């Protein structure tokens, strides 16, 4: 009793000591944060708050280190308990596709340590005589009849009790603009899709309205209405609010049948006004966790070994394996991989492939804009026709399944596909700001600022690094160029058309040069030997960043009508009497930091070195761009002109790559 009183007192003293700024906080990722963690929770290397991992029957908590005083404590006795919170989460089940049990955003008078219950109790203390007051926003992925759950995929408001006072199936509402009409659209979401999603929780003590809003990330259209909007006087539930500070944070549980990772990627909170906006580019957006299956399967296999004879075990294994392979394929087709659309739906979305819907004409065919009737999502449909090889198309469709599983904020997401007769239709998310090349053309008066261009360059580098090194298998892009870089609503650069150049290998006609790729971006060894490698991608990336910095095509005609190869021209500028490489910058750019300009131009030259061994790998490129490494002083016009491999290794050993390591293809 005394100790409890002292504890309370300490809390109040601490909270009183806290600076006024402490009524608001923001975590863009959790690296270096000192969250109060308990149970299975930990902060990953990437800065993700991992509440549970793939183990059964565990509980994890992560709370803000300081309990907070809500506004209802104010000296005038005014009751205006208000707050606003937002967070990004991901719930990733193992490949069995059923997930459990769920997680909750919690405001509570106790941090639940040693008292919360696992499994269906979501880590919350549920006893009718409990003195713990809590508000929980549950993201529940199991249907528990005991708590009158509506389904196995819902968002609910819980007050001191796990029977939600209000809940609805997960989904989001947004306004869809078509022509000049606004159509309110509702899209159902699967909480346990593994995809990151964002939640906003807002409560206003005057109107007594509690709103909970859910939306997918990246969020192409802002939600127009909350999923849950519920009127309740929270002060009635927080009776102790005159003496007690409240803990805010998260809890999550798994049960004995499911194995699910519950993760928080970012979180902000405010006691006055809206929670500060999260910076998406700083969130540790996670990668899919395919390894889970193995982790989960292994213990099961060992325990069955102990019980069963070798024969039954063998049979079991065969049966299991078959089932898992089937499951994986199912997963590819549904949640992880791209969807298969019906031709009818795509025809309807693009108004019968009407020319008014035409967004552009690429190397592989026409691209139409459209809106999917079912979800209201804006998409770009690429129509690839093949006169020659239906078989090649069939093989390529298998690769589409792989490409569709790639997720990165600097890649245009492939949503689905459709095969119809000898036609392949690829469905991408539509990028509202179109392709980058349009902004670089000389005749465009309104161009991009230097900081926008640098941001795009870094984004494309990051997307390419993901394809080359960070994914399960190496993907060579093969056609990096400004017209394949698309701009999303926030003007982030996103690589499109990755992997498509493989169509050539399958004998599908395309209307570009014989070697897949585009003139001016083709590495010399690629035109000679025809083999695409990471190093040929780096070459194209070099040509690309020179194009962005200089505002000129990689190969073009100068004012006198002479052929101008951009990389040679930039090198000549650098090698000229003035020695100032920044003279090559796009004359339309006025405000740029000379240091940044020099870095990008020199890096562009280095990447488009004629010798593959002299080009850096994308990881190194990223380090140069982020300023984590400085370009070696040996990178000079002379270095760029050398043609002997030994010289490459001698002059800049830190950059030189043994060609075999850069050239890893598939
Ligand atoms: C847009 O609105 C105008 C009048 O406000 C109307 O005449 C026109 O048909 C509308 N266009 C579309 C595509 O709905
Ligand atoms: C809750 O949502 C409603 C409807 O959109 C809105 O009018 C109200 O201001 C919101 N309240 C809070 C506290 O965000
Ligand atoms: C909400 O409840 C508190 C505590 O019971 C009470 O003092 C307050 O007047 C209520 N607010 C409104 C607007 O009814
Ligand atoms: C988001 O974070 C990035 C990277 O740290 C930073 O460059 C950018 O300015 C931030 N954006 C905002 C709106 O704060």
């Amino acid at each position: 009793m005394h100790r409890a009183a002292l504890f309370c007192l300490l809390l109040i003293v601490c909270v009183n000591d806290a600076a006024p700024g402490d009524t608001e906080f923001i975590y863009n990722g959790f690296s270096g944060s000192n969250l109060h963690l308990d149970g299975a929770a930990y902060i990953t290397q990437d800065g993700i708050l991992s509440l549970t991992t793939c183990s059964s029957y565990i509980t994890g908590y992560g709370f803000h280190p300081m309990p907070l005083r809500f506004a209802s404590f104010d000296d005038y006795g005014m009751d205006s308990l208000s707050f606003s919170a937002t967070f990004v989460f991901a719930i990733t089940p193992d490949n069995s596709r059923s997930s459990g049990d769920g997680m909750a955003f919690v405001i509570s008078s106790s941090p639940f340590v040693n008292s919360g219950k696992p499994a269906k109790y979501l880590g919350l203390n549920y006893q009718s005589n409990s003195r713990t007051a809590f508000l929980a926003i549950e993201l529940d992925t199991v249907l528990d009849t005991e708590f009158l759950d509506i389904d196995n995929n819902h968002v609910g408001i819980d007050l001191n009790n796990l029977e939600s006072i209000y809940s609805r199936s997960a989904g989001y509402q947004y306004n869809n603009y078509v022509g000049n009409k606004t159509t309110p659209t509702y899209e159902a979401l699967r909480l346990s899709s593994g995809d990151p999603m964002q939640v906003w929780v807002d409560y206003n003590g005057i109107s007594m309205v509690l709103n909970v809003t859910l939306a997918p990330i990246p969020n192409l259209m802002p939600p127009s209405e909350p999923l849950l909007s519920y009127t309740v006087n929270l002060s009635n539930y927080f009776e102790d609010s005159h003496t007690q500070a409240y803990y805010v944070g998260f809890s999550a549980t798994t049960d004995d049948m499911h194995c699910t990772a519950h993760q928080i990627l970012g979180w902000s909170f405010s006691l006055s006004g809206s929670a500060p906006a999260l910076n998406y580019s700083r969130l540790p957006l996670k990668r899919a966790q395919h390894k889970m299956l193995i982790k989960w399967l292994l213990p099961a296999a060992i325990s069955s070994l102990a019980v069963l004879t070798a024969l039954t075990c063998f049979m079991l294994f065969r049966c299991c394996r078959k089932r898992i392979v089937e499951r994986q394929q199912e997963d590819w087709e549904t949640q992880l991989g791209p969807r298969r659309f019906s031709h009818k739906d795509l025809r309807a979305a693009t108004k019968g492939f009407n020319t008014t819907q035409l967004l552009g004409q690429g190397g592989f065919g026409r691209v139409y804009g459209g809106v999917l009737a079912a979800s209201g999502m804006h998409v770009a449909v690429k129509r690839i026709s093949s006169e020659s090889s239906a078989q090649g198309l069939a093989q390529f469709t298998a690769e589409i399944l792989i490409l569709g599983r790639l997720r990165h904020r600097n890649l245009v997401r492939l949503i689905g596909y459709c095969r119809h007769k000898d036609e392949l239709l690829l469905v991408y998310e539509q990028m509202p700001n179109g392709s980058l090349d349009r902004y670089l053309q000389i005749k465009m008066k309104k161009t991009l600022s230097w900081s926008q261009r640098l941001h795009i360059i870094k984004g494309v580098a990051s997307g390419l690094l993901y394809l080359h090194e960070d994914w399960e298998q190496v993907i060579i892009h093969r056609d990096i160029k400004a017209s394949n870089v698309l701009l999303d609503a926030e003007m982030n650069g996103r690589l499109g058309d990755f992997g498509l150049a493989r169509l050539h290998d399958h004998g599908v006609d395309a209307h570009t040069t014989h070697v897949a790729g585009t003139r001016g971006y083709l590495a010399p060894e690629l035109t000679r030997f025809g083999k695409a490698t990471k190093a040929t991608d780096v070459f194209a990336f070099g040509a690309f960043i020179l194009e962005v910095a200089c505002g000129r095509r990689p190969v073009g005609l100068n004012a006198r009508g002479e052929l101008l190869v951009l990389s040679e021209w930039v090198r000549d500028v650098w090698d000229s009497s003035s020695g100032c490489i920044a003279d090559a910058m796009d004359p339309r750019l006025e405000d740029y930091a000379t240091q940044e300009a020099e870095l990008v131009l020199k890096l562009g030259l280095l990447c488009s070195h004629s010798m593959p061994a002299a080009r850096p790998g994308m990881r190194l490129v990223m380090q140069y761009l982020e300023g984590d490494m400085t370009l070696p002083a040996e990178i000079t016009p002379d270095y760029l002109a050398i043609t002997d491999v030994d010289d490459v290794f001698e002059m800049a050993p830190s950059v030189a790559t043994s060609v075999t390591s850069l050239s890893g293809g598939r």
Side-chain angles (χ1 to χ4, degrees), residues 202-204 207 209 211 224-226 229:
D202 295 287
Y203 179 69
N204 183 320
S207 66
V209 174
N211 285 343
S224 55
E225 259 173 61
S229 193

Side-chain angles (χ1 to χ4, degrees), residues 545-610:
I545 67 178
L546 289 178
E547 178 176 3
V548 175
C550 305
R552 289 167 182 267
R553 308 275 305 137
V555 179
L557 299 178
N558 68 10
R560 290 193 299 277
E562 299 156 351
L563 190 71
L564 184 136
V565 176
L566 184 57
S567 59
E568 288 172 10
W569 177 73
V570 175
R571 204 186 67 215
D572 290 345
V573 170
W574 190 11
D575 209 11
S576 69
S577 49
S578 76
C580 181
I581 192 170
D583 289 347
M585 291 290 279
D586 188 336
R588 288 169 296 177
L589 289 173
E590 280 149 13
D591 275 346
Y592 58 82
T594 313
Q595 245 182 345
E596 287 173 356
E598 287 183 351
L599 169 69
V600 167
L601 292 170
K602 288 178 186 175
L603 187 60
L605 289 178
L606 184 62
C607 290
S608 46
H609 200 292
S610 62

Side-chain angles (χ1 to χ4, degrees), residues 211-242:
N211 285 343
V212 181
T213 312
L214 178 70
I217 279 193
N219 193 358
L220 301 176
M221 275 146 301
S224 55
E225 259 173 61
L227 175 66
L228 308 177
S229 193
Y230 190 76
T231 305
V232 57
N233 186 350
L234 283 183
S235 302
N236 289 336
Y237 290 85
F238 292 93
E239 286 169 1
D240 283 344
S241 62
H242 295 286

Side-chain angles (χ1 to χ4, degrees), residues 35-42 50-51 59-63 111-114:
L35 285 191
H36 174 90
L37 301 174
D38 229 290
Y42 71 101
S50 163
L51 294 167
T59 306
Y61 300 103
F63 281 88
F112 292 111
V113 186
N114 297 330

Side-chain angles (χ1 to χ4, degrees), residues 178-181:
V178 185
N180 46 12
K181 258 200 9 232

